Amino acid sequence: MKNQGLPDDVFDGRPVIGICNTWSELAPCHGHLRELAEHVKRGVWEAGGLPLEFPAMSLGETQVRPTAMLFRNLLAMEVEESIRANPIDGVVLLGGCDKTTPGQLMGAASVDLPTIVVSAGPMLNGKFKGRSIGSGTDVWRFSEEARAGTMSMKDFLSAEAGMSRSSGTCMTMGTASTVASLIEAMGLCLPHNAALPAVDARRRTLSHLSGRRIVEMVRQDVRLSHIATRAAFENAILAHAAIGGSTNAVIHLLALAGRLGVPLTLEDFDALGRETPLLVNLMPSGAFLMEEFCYAGGVPAVLRSLRSRIRGDAMTVSGHTLGEIADAAECYDSEVIAALDKPFGPSSGVWVLRGNLAPQGAIIKPSAATPALLRHEGRAIVFEDIEDYKKRLDDPDLPVDETSVMVLKACGPKGYPGMPEVGNMALPGKLLARGVRDLVRISDARMSGTAYGTVILHVSPESEAGGPLGLVQTGDVIRFDGPERTLDLLVDERELGARREAWRPTQRYAERGWAKLYVDTVQQADKGCDLDFLVGSSGDEVNRESH
Ligand code: FES
């Protein structure tokens, strides 16, 4: 290490802090992380530690093909082995885009050193023709308008530029903002980490303070598993319902819990979130964006509204309990963050559905759905895979009307592979032209946290794993009853048995490399889509060395 210009007395037994940096020009959300790393280092030096930055795979949601989710577990493996294999006493995780924070945390959890998250932070609000626009959410809306011919390409490109006008992650309550908010509710970062804009000087200050704090955590031996307890996961689920968070967070929290040995099931999300109303008025469930969320008080203000519900005794990396953080918080704008008794909407967590179409569960985000469609019976229009869907979507002869139920197969963890965000299928052109803006849609895929619609996701088991979704045919009747939490295919058992006999997996995936390992070992969505042999922890001890 001397070749980096480090003096002798730096090797005096001081804590070595690894700064796990996912900076990359290929991940636009992470383009400014080198700068934040420098601020973390200042804090580490100041507190008497030795900061050493190391890279980890960067998963830019907008660039990585075929889908970033295919590589979340690969990032987790890289982070785990990088931390364990190197002489590191504590770690600061720098990430932000959708799959990066979960992947980093899963890897760190399987080592279980003292750990702090510093997020990239959201972009400034998007702006177009004088009004605020949200990343993702307005892209879906604009692209539908462009397809329907009501928005010009010039305006579309201008909106795109106005939407991405600063460093940072998507500034809607999409997956990145959701995960960052839940990490904060779990106490795995310093207060206000989720909402401070990427370019706000206070994010650099927070990075500096996180550098100081991780050194203290090493001295106090405060490990990740001491913070990420069952109580912390319960707080995350309550916060998830209150913020109207992304459905993707369900998968990530389940996977993280699996690494830590914390008991957590799909049903916990429905049971804990059921009585928690929508308290945050952000797109896609509401009107505002992350800048307003920050100025209104951010996650601490939400926790204050939730004070009577949260497990206030849960410890955080700040050294304070979550209850203490909530008690010290204030809400500065009740248009953005509501009190518990004056919510913006009813329960907005996820509903967990079961039935003969989803024996291991499926989920829907009711706050993003059309209320009138939350109880619906209709005939299926089936797409065998995403290519089939793209090919036939605008076919004028497609047998679809406003009562149809769109069904997409082969988009689960094994089937795609990697479970892409395609569950919020765009509607057929001929329905859009008639002014139809929502249909019930069902798949084994995920959807972007910025998307909306009556979209039933994560059907488990997926079609490629032999789940009943693979047996649905166009014209079958499907009954969805959200309030009763059921999802059923109304086809008699004898007919289903015959279809099961004839069913074969598509097996179109790679025969080698990461994709093969992934398909062979990935768990279903109800378990968090981790690889089966990565569940659990191996600790930080390495008992042999070759020097
Ligand atoms: Fe990175 Fe949305 S694309 S957070």
Side-chain angles (χ1 to χ4, degrees):
M1 304 301 285
K2 291 277 177 70
N3 72 355
Q4 297 185 58
L6 295 167
D8 290 343
D9 61 2
V10 161
F11 304 96
D12 57 359
R14 64 180 63 206
V16 177
I17 305 300
I19 301 172
C20 177
N21 197 344
T22 52
W23 169 85
S24 167
E25 287 177 344
L26 284 168
C29 310
H30 298 169
H32 60 303
L33 290 184
R34 275 177 164 171
E35 187 193 351
L36 292 188
E38 292 308 315
H39 288 273
V40 174
K41 288 179 194 172
R42 285 187 196 177
V44 172
W45 281 119
E46 204 172 80
L50 169 59
L52 295 171
E53 186 179 346
F54 65 96
M57 186 178 195
S58 198
L59 299 176
E61 193 66 30
T62 50
Q63 315 286 1
V64 172
R65 293 175 289 171
T67 175
M69 182 63 179
L70 178 60
F71 305 106
R72 182 201 65 179
N73 301 337
L74 182 58
L75 168 63
M77 285 178 87
E78 184 193 8
V79 169
E80 175 181 347
E81 303 304 344
S82 296
I83 295 173
R84 185 180 299 113
N86 284 292
I88 292 172
D89 301 305
V91 62
V92 179
L93 304 175
L94 292 185
C97 198
D98 298 13
K99 308 304 172 300
T100 309
T101 308
Q104 286 179 294
L105 262 175
M106 288 162 63
S110 289
V111 190
D112 197 23
L113 289 177
T115 304
I116 279 189
V117 174
V118 173
S119 299
M123 290 187 280
L124 296 175
N125 287 1
K127 292 287 175 186
F128 175 60
K129 293 191 173 178
R131 70 178 181 91
S132 288
I133 54 172
S135 31
T137 302
D138 279 306
V139 174
W140 313 126
R141 212 182 309 277
F142 291 154
S143 59
E144 279 176 6
E145 285 183 26
R147 282 182 58 231
T150 53
M151 184 179 203
S152 71
M153 187 48 65
K154 184 164 171 286
D155 275 356
F156 187 79
L157 293 174
S158 170
E160 182 184 54
M163 191 174 281
S164 310
R165 65 193 180 92
S166 83
S167 308
T169 49
C170 293
M171 84 309 270
T172 40
M173 191 49 84
T175 304
S177 298
T178 297
V179 170
S181 298
L182 303 192
I183 296 305
E184 189 170 331
M186 293 179 77
L188 290 166
C189 58
L190 294 185
H192 298 288
N193 173 63
L196 280 169
V199 294
D200 195 307
R202 292 170 292 178
R203 178 160 296 282
R204 298 194 285 264
T205 309
L206 183 140
S207 305
H208 187 133
L209 295 174
S210 298
R212 281 189 199 163
R213 181 64 195 147
I214 189 67
V215 176
E216 288 170 7
M217 285 172 66
V218 170
R219 293 193 172 122
Q220 296 162 357
D221 197 28
V222 180
R223 292 176 182 248
L224 202 159
S225 62
H226 303 166
I227 306 291
T229 58
R230 166 82 192 183
F233 279 94
E234 289 181 9
N235 288 335
I237 293 171
L238 291 170
H240 182 259
I243 63 177
S246 158
T247 47
N248 288 321
V250 176
I251 291 181
H252 300 318
L253 287 182
L254 287 167
L256 181 59
R259 295 297 182 110
L260 291 157
V262 172
L264 195 74
T265 66
L266 214 42
E267 266 64 28
D268 286 322
F269 288 84
D270 203 322
L272 286 164
R274 191 172 295 205
E275 304 302 323
T276 304
L278 182 66
L279 298 180
V280 173
N281 189 12
L282 253 63
M283 292 184 202
S285 297
F288 295 103
L289 295 166
M290 287 299 282
E291 248 189 280
E292 285 98 1
F293 184 52
C294 174
Y295 307 146
V299 172
V302 178
L303 297 172
R304 185 173 177 108
S305 293
L306 285 173
R307 184 66 180 91
S308 60
R309 304 270 174 95
I310 57 170
R311 299 275 302 270
D313 56 342
M315 186 45 72
T316 75
V317 295
S318 71
H320 299 284
T321 65
L322 200 72
E324 289 169 339
I325 290 170
D327 290 339
E330 274 186 67
C331 173
Y332 305 112
D333 190 344
S334 58
E335 296 286 299
V336 181
I337 301 172
L340 193 57
D341 57 354
K342 293 194 190 104
F344 296 119
S347 170
S348 67
V350 296
W351 289 352
V352 177
L353 313 173
R354 300 224 180 227
N356 74 352
L357 193 48
Q360 286 170 221
I363 63 168
I364 183 169
K365 180 177 175 179
S367 62
T370 302
L373 288 174
L374 288 171
R375 247 191 194 117
H376 184 76
E377 194 171 302
R379 293 200 177 273
I381 168 77
V382 175
F383 302 98
E384 294 298 327
D385 55 33
I386 192 69
E387 287 76 22
D388 180 37
Y389 159 78
K390 285 179 180 166
K391 195 166 80 192
R392 295 197 293 133
L393 178 64
D394 288 331
D395 179 347
D397 297 327
L398 197 71
V400 66
D401 63 25
E402 46 271 66
T403 67
S404 298
V405 175
M406 294 173 74
V407 173
L408 177 62
K409 302 177 185 175
C411 287
K414 290 178 189 291
Y416 186 68
M419 207 182 176
E421 293 183 335
V422 295
N424 55 310
M425 294 166 260
L427 303 189
K430 68 178 185 183
L431 293 187
L432 287 175
R434 279 168 34 198
V436 177
R437 288 292 179 268
D438 198 7
L439 290 182
V440 175
R441 290 161 261 183
I442 302 175
S443 72
D444 45 15
R446 298 177 300 116
M447 81 170 177
S448 163
T450 59
Y452 52 85
T454 311
V455 184
I456 296 168
L457 301 155
H458 309 183
V459 170
S460 300
E462 62 174 303
S463 62
E464 189 69 10
L469 186 73
L471 308 180
V472 186
Q473 295 181 356
T474 291
D476 290 349
V477 176
I478 291 175
R479 182 187 293 151
F480 160 50
D481 190 329
E484 292 296 322
R485 308 292 199 266
T486 58
L487 182 65
D488 289 297
L489 178 62
L490 304 187
V491 174
D492 70 62
E493 194 44 51
R494 194 196 314 211
E495 168 64 17
L496 285 180
R499 291 185 194 177
R500 206 170 280 119
E501 286 287 306
W503 178 85
R504 297 286 176 275
T506 64
Q507 289 187 306
R508 275 169 308 206
Y509 25 80
E511 284 303 310
R512 61 169 299 280
W514 170 253
K516 174 159 175 51
L517 180 64
Y518 182 91
V519 169
D520 287 349
T521 60
V522 70
Q523 297 183 315
Q524 291 294 288
D526 63 307
K527 298 276 190 302
C529 301
D530 203 355
L531 303 191
D532 55 14
F533 64 92
L534 290 175
V535 173
S537 164
S538 303
D540 66 308
E541 292 287 327
V542 181
N543 294 321
R544 306 181 81 184
E545 71 145 317
S546 56
H547 300 117

